[in-house]
Amino acid sequence: MSKPTLTIVRKKISDLHADPANANRHPENNLRAIADSLHAFGQVEPLVVQKGTGKVIGGNGRLEVLRNSGAQEVDVVELDIDGTQATALAIALNRTAKTSEFDDETLASLLQSLPQECQIAAGFDQNELQEVLDRLTPKEGLTEDDSVAVGDLTYRVIVSVSGEEQQAELIEQLESEGYKCQPLMS
């Protein structure tokens, strides 16, 4: 396979079509995350399109969101490849993205440094951020007395502070009010 030279061109969205054999599905939460990103940043990544056919090889979810938002033109990279190569590339683009992993500690730190609207633009709502933080919360050493149970539910709160001094003050205040606190550092 020869390596193509990449040139971004502007195409009418009406000249493009999604790959009907695309094995990558885009559930509603994925489309919402794509829409949030496009709304915040615009189209910063071109669609990958098979030249001559207009079939989208990479970016079918973005195509759907852009089309639904009324976009008339989009940026694309056209590749002059046959159907077999287009299929293999489509699988490779989706597969390589799915085999990467986040470093939860770094991700949590980065997300917490962003305002909420940027967290959402990055594809994370508050519940998803909380899931990342929960994975970082040490489980060893915790007992039933370390959390508040109501029926079958257990409640914990993670509060981010600007430094050790503020953390110490907050722990002192909460413990004086009868709350059990476990300081965490990330």
Side-chain angles (χ1 to χ4, degrees), residues 2 30 58 63 82 84 87 90 96 100 103-104 125-126 156 172:
S2 65
N30 176 249
L63 174 67
D82 66 28
T84 301
T87 298
T96 56
S100 69
D103 174 311
D104 282 345
D125 63 25
Q126 289 302 302
R156 291 192 176 110
E172 183 179 330

Side-chain angles (χ1 to χ4, degrees), residues 46-61:
L47 305 178
V48 180
V49 174
Q50 184 181 24
K51 189 173 186 172
T53 68
K55 179 175 74 172
V56 174
I57 299 168
N60 283 280

Side-chain angles (χ1 to χ4, degrees), residues 68-87:
N68 290 341
S69 69
Q72 300 298 307
E73 294 184 324
V74 293
D75 291 326
V76 305
V77 170
E78 291 183 301
L79 300 179
D80 192 11
I81 57 178
D82 66 28
T84 301
Q85 292 171 323
T87 298

Side-chain angles (χ1 to χ4, degrees), residues 17-172:
H17 64 88
D19 180 355
N22 183 19
N24 199 39
R25 300 290 168 235
H26 298 281
E28 194 57 42
N29 64 330
N30 176 249
L31 294 173
R32 186 176 47 256
I34 293 170
D36 289 340
S37 175
L38 287 169
H39 176 75
F41 305 114
Q43 185 192 1
V44 296
E45 184 178 10
L47 305 178
V48 180
V49 174
Q50 184 181 24
K51 189 173 186 172
T53 68
K55 179 175 74 172
V56 174
I57 299 168
N60 283 280
R62 280 178 280 136
L63 174 67
E64 183 176 340
V65 170
L66 287 162
R67 184 171 276 140
N68 290 341
S69 69
Q72 300 298 307
E73 294 184 324
V74 293
D75 291 326
V76 305
V77 170
E78 291 183 301
L79 300 179
D80 192 11
I81 57 178
D82 66 28
T84 301
Q85 292 171 323
T87 298
L89 178 57
I91 293 168
L93 291 173
N94 288 315
R95 178 67 178 150
T96 56
K98 291 181 185 313
T99 57
S100 69
E101 297 177 356
F102 278 118
D103 174 311
D104 282 345
E105 194 169 312
T106 302
L107 176 63
S109 176
L110 291 170
L111 287 171
Q112 288 176 313
S113 73
L114 297 173
Q116 184 174 358
E117 65 272 7
C118 289
Q119 292 171 356
I120 291 169
F124 286 83
D125 63 25
Q126 289 302 302
N127 292 332
E128 291 165 323
L129 173 58
Q130 188 60 52
E131 288 173 15
V132 172
L133 294 172
D134 288 347
R135 288 194 300 267
L136 295 174
T137 303
K139 303 295 188 242
E140 66 273 351
L142 294 180
T143 67
E144 289 298 319
D145 294 334
D146 291 325
S147 46
V148 177
V150 178
D152 291 338
L153 300 176
T154 300
Y155 294 92
R156 291 192 176 110
V157 175
I158 296 176
V159 178
S160 298
V161 294
S162 61
E164 287 183 49
E165 184 177 317
Q166 189 179 22
Q167 181 185 48
E169 290 171 4
L170 183 59
I171 288 172
E172 183 179 330

